[in-house]
């Protein structure tokens, strides 16, 4: 290669272009479409519903993906095929947050309202302190919150005094009880992962008169459950569909609900190992197209290198003839070319 610097530079740059582009695109595909959430046994996680409606919708959905809090409690209490079932706010919320006891101005932070078993359903352990529990998600329970590790490190410089500290979130004082593990950025892939997680029971305090918690006709929650080992997803989704139709039939006064559409309401289970979010569905086709394009780029790069080697081999034809005349065996010539 030292004797042919021009050939070496062209070959290295050509291969670097093809391999580098493929590596970059595959890394993106892996992070968005293939990588699982950093939780315990992600293959056991299933989302109740497949549609990506956001962030609030009336009763008629057809293919259901959003649920009211009363309907979530109905599923959680009566669907035995799930060892645990958790609910969390669909879409992103932005809270005004400032640390209590100081004079700092409030800052906007992304956040999420979650059920009390949210972290235990994922099998997570705190980086420090503790995580939200079912006891925290009860009416009248003290207002507590969990901070993300990213926010703790980037905004509060790993200050341990945040544990037990008071933060004013949308005018409501919350006590920070713990920090989520460092690799956990939430239940879905998004540009603004939550910095704070709040129990669903605190939703009326945070949102006041526009609270949705106790409105059975307002669907605004995603549901993810951990399916038991012997449960079959197809059978479970049929049971959930029947349970949904019975529940809707028992609540004929729901707004936007049309009884004539009752039999069309259904639920499908979807694997949730890589999280819940519409970005995977929206990015699937463009990413496949990018993978195809970069694959063609690598193929063209390989063809260019092959052409360079063929041209180089043709220029050495006289040398090969002389070596053969001097007695060089065919295997040695092939080995030299390779």
């Amino acid at each position: 290669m030292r004797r042919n610097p021009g050939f070496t530079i062209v070959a290295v740059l050509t291969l670097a272009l093809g391999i580098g582009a493929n590596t970059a695109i595959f890394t993106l595909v892996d992070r968005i479409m293939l990588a699982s959430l950093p939780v315990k046994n992600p293959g056991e996680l299933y989302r109740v519903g497949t549609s990506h409606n956001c962030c609030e919708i009336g009763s008629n959905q057809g293919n259901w993906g959003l649920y009211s809090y009363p309907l979530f409690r109905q599923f959680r209490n009566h669907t035995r095929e799930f060892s645990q079932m958790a609910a969390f706010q669909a879409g992103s919320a932005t809270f005004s947050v400032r640390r209590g006891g100081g004079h700092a101005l409030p800052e906007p932070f992304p956040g999420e309202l979650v059920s009390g078993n949210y972290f235990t359903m994922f099998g997570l352990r705190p980086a420090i302190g503790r995580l939200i529990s079912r006891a925290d998600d009860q009416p009248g329970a003290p207002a507590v919150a969990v901070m993300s590790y990213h926010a703790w490190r980037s905004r509060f410089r790993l200050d341990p005094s945040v544990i037990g500290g008071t933060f004013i979130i949308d005018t409501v004082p919350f006590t920070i009880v713990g920090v989520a593990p460092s690799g956990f950025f939430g239940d879905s892939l998004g540009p603004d992962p939550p910095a704070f997680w709040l129990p669903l029971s605190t939703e009326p305090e945070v949102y006041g008169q526009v609270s949705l918690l106790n409105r059975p006709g307002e669907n605004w929650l995603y549901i993810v459950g951990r399916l038991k080992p012997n449960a079959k997803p197809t059978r479970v989704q049929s049971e959930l569909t029947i349970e949904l139709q019975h529940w809707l039939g028992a609540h004929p006064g729901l707004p936007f609900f049309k009884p004539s559409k009752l039999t069309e309401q259904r639920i499908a289970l979807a694997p949730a190992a890589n999280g819940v979010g519409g970005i995977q569905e929206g990015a699937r086709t463009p990413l496949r197209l990018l993978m195809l394009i970069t694959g063609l780029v690598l193929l063209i790069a390989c063809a260019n290198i092959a052409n360079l080697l063929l041209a180089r081999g043709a220029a050495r034809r006289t040398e090969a003839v002389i070596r053969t005349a001097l007695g060089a065996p065919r295997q040695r010539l092939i080995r030299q070319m390779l």
Side-chain angles (χ1 to χ4, degrees):
M1 289 189 287
R2 284 195 303 269
R3 292 173 182 172
N4 300 275
F7 170 81
T8 301
I9 291 173
V10 172
V12 168
L13 290 178
T14 303
L15 288 175
L17 175 64
I19 296 173
N22 275 267
T23 302
I25 296 301
F26 181 77
T27 301
L28 183 64
V29 171
D30 178 65
R31 293 292 176 87
I32 293 179
M33 297 176 60
L34 303 179
S36 298
L37 292 175
V39 300
K40 179 182 178 181
N41 298 331
E44 298 176 355
L45 298 177
Y46 279 82
R47 182 187 166 196
V48 180
T50 57
S51 65
H52 294 287
N53 295 323
C54 179
C55 298
E56 178 186 351
I57 195 169
S59 299
N60 279 337
Q61 296 182 52
N63 181 24
W64 280 60
L66 292 176
Y67 306 91
S68 65
Y69 183 65
L71 185 52
F72 158 66
R73 289 188 301 177
Q74 171 76 15
F75 289 155
R76 183 188 61 188
N77 297 334
H78 295 88
T79 311
R80 304 303 180 187
E81 290 82 0
F82 286 97
S83 59
Q84 287 204 64
M85 183 181 286
F88 46 93
Q89 185 176 11
S92 59
T94 301
F95 298 130
S96 174
V97 181
R98 68 177 178 87
R99 196 165 185 174
H103 301 286
L105 294 175
E107 297 183 62
F109 280 90
E112 189 175 45
L113 290 156
V114 300
S115 60
N117 65 332
Y118 176 83
F119 292 103
T120 56
M121 190 271 299
F122 282 125
L124 297 173
R125 294 185 177 182
I128 185 174
R130 69 174 180 87
L131 301 175
I132 293 172
S133 67
R134 282 197 173 186
D136 300 315
D137 191 22
Q138 302 294 332
V144 300
V146 167
M147 183 184 295
S148 72
Y149 190 91
H150 175 70
W152 186 46
R153 181 183 60 190
S154 62
R155 305 298 290 272
F156 300 99
R157 300 181 180 181
L158 303 180
D159 181 5
S161 67
V162 301
I163 305 302
T166 299
F167 282 71
I168 310 302
I169 302 178
D170 280 5
T171 72
V172 180
F174 281 80
T175 301
I176 303 299
V177 294
V179 175
S182 61
F184 184 70
F185 291 93
D187 45 72
S188 58
L189 180 66
D192 295 313
F196 293 91
W197 286 276
L198 316 179
L200 281 174
S201 61
T202 63
E203 191 264 354
E205 299 180 58
V206 174
Y207 288 107
Q209 295 181 353
V210 295
S211 170
L212 301 174
L213 187 68
N214 297 312
R215 298 183 183 181
E218 301 295 339
N219 304 294
W220 58 287
L221 297 172
Y222 287 142
I223 298 178
V224 168
R226 190 174 288 277
L227 209 60
K228 292 181 179 179
N230 296 327
K232 297 185 180 300
T234 53
R235 180 178 178 180
V236 176
Q237 69 184 19
S238 298
E239 293 179 1
L240 285 169
T241 297
I242 295 173
E243 195 170 347
L244 169 68
Q245 293 176 357
H246 286 171
W247 189 87
L248 291 172
H251 295 78
L254 294 177
F256 309 110
F257 177 65
K258 298 179 180 179
S260 60
K261 301 290 185 179
L262 180 62
T263 57
E264 299 178 9
Q265 310 305 306
R266 63 189 184 278
I267 294 177
L269 291 186
N274 59 348
V276 176
I279 189 172
Q280 286 94 344
E281 294 298 323
R284 191 180 302 275
T285 300
L287 287 177
R288 285 177 175 171
L289 181 60
L290 279 176
M291 282 292 293
L292 176 61
I293 292 173
T294 51
L296 291 175
V297 170
L298 182 60
L299 182 62
I300 293 171
C302 293
N304 288 336
I305 297 297
N307 286 333
L308 289 174
L309 291 172
L310 287 173
R312 195 168 174 229
R316 299 178 63 183
R317 182 177 300 173
T318 302
E319 175 189 345
V321 171
I322 294 175
R323 288 180 181 274
T324 302
L326 292 175
R330 184 183 298 273
Q331 291 182 354
R332 187 169 180 179
L333 290 174
I334 294 175
R335 187 167 64 250
Q336 181 189 16
M337 294 300 174
L338 289 177

